[in-house]
Amino acid sequence: MSDQRRIHFIPPKPIKREKPVGIYCRVSSNSMEQLNSLTTQVSALTRLTP
């Protein structure tokens, strides 16, 4: 008996395309504390993007 080995090619999965997203930040007043909160929100969310 001959031992024939076969190679099965498994193609790579297609690359997922990035999707556009939007961010939503909100504050309830114009106080300095709220404006600092807005800055913190924007900073944290924009760090998530490459």
Side-chain angles (χ1 to χ4, degrees):
M1 272 190 162
S2 75
D3 185 19
Q4 294 182 359
R5 295 179 183 213
R6 295 184 183 196
I7 298 174
H8 297 281
F9 176 74
I10 301 173
K13 292 183 179 181
I15 297 172
K16 293 182 180 180
R17 292 187 176 156
E18 293 182 11
K19 297 180 182 179
V21 298
I23 61 172
Y24 177 78
C25 300
R26 176 185 158 144
V27 294
S28 58
S29 71
N30 282 337
S31 72
M32 187 54 74
E33 185 178 294
Q34 290 294 299
L35 293 176
N36 288 336
S37 173
L38 177 63
T39 303
T40 302
Q41 291 177 56
V42 171
S43 177
L45 293 170
T46 54
R47 276 195 306 258
L48 295 175
T49 60

